[in-house]
Amino acid sequence: MAVERTLSIIKPDATRRNLTGKINAKFEDGGLRIVAQKRVQLSQAQAEQFYGVHRERPFFKDLVSFMISGPVVLQVLEGENAIARNREIMGATNPANAAEGTIRKEFAESIEANSVHGSDAPETAAQEIAFFFAGIELVG
Ligand code: IDP
Ligand code: MG
């Protein structure tokens, strides 16, 4: 196992319901360290670029609208196997399929408004962290 970093986003459905602290507790209790964090309002262009891999999917337009419907919290999480570990803590994309105790099981409103984003592989984690954070913001 190696220490990794992954990009996490607390999505607008969760910031709207004041769930940032409860979600952060899930990460910390699950062994991940929040090494960078900022609350921002994404622009449409930023959301479209970030989710560019899904551009051809039928839900793309709605997803972008949702992601700019309110503030998000951008985070870098660090720990052993952080990329896979974070996805375990988040639970399945569709909350109907998410395991007990996961963020999405407890907090997600729908398959779209599912409270959190997490990178899915080392390459995407590195790209997504660099998309939102400057090196000087990552102090470990
Ligand atoms: P992930 O967030 O679990 O990695 P992805 O397949 O990468 O899931 O999808 C990105 C995001 O797009 C999801 O978190 C969710 O917000 C949204 N999404 C995925 N599938 C659907 C769908 O079938 N309908 C509506 N939104 C979806
Ligand atoms: Mg994904």
Side-chain angles (χ1 to χ4, degrees), residues 3-139:
V3 174
E4 293 176 334
R5 286 178 173 173
T6 191
L7 184 86
S8 166
I9 306 177
I10 301 179
K11 295 183 178 181
D13 67 287
T15 61
R16 180 167 41 76
R17 288 175 291 149
N18 212 20
L19 292 171
T20 299
K22 286 192 171 122
I23 290 173
N24 281 351
K26 293 274 195 195
F27 295 140
E28 293 182 341
D29 292 348
L32 297 176
R33 180 175 292 272
I34 302 162
V35 296
Q37 176 166 256
K38 55 189 176 188
R39 182 171 165 118
V40 304
Q41 171 67 53
L42 294 180
S43 69
Q44 181 165 336
Q46 286 171 323
E48 285 175 352
Q49 198 182 334
F50 180 77
Y51 275 123
V53 65
H54 295 304
R55 201 173 289 276
E56 304 305 325
R57 308 283 286 277
F59 57 80
F60 178 71
K61 225 169 154 245
D62 277 355
L63 175 61
V64 169
S65 300
F66 163 61
M67 289 300 290
I68 65 173
S69 67
V72 297
V73 179
L74 306 171
Q75 308 175 302
V76 180
L77 307 180
E78 184 180 270
E80 290 285 338
N81 256 337
I83 297 164
R85 182 75 193 109
N86 181 39
R87 293 194 64 95
E88 283 174 11
I89 295 168
M90 288 176 9
T93 307
N94 185 344
N97 302 329
E100 285 301 326
T102 62
I103 292 169
R104 283 166 166 172
K105 176 73 176 184
E106 282 189 27
F107 301 126
E109 293 181 324
S110 67
I111 190 171
E112 177 182 82
N114 60 3
S115 303
V116 279
H117 164 85
S119 307
D120 60 10
E123 303 72 38
T124 46
Q127 280 166 16
E128 291 177 0
I129 290 169
F131 186 72
F132 286 124
F133 289 91
I136 197 171
E137 296 177 287
L138 301 170
V139 295

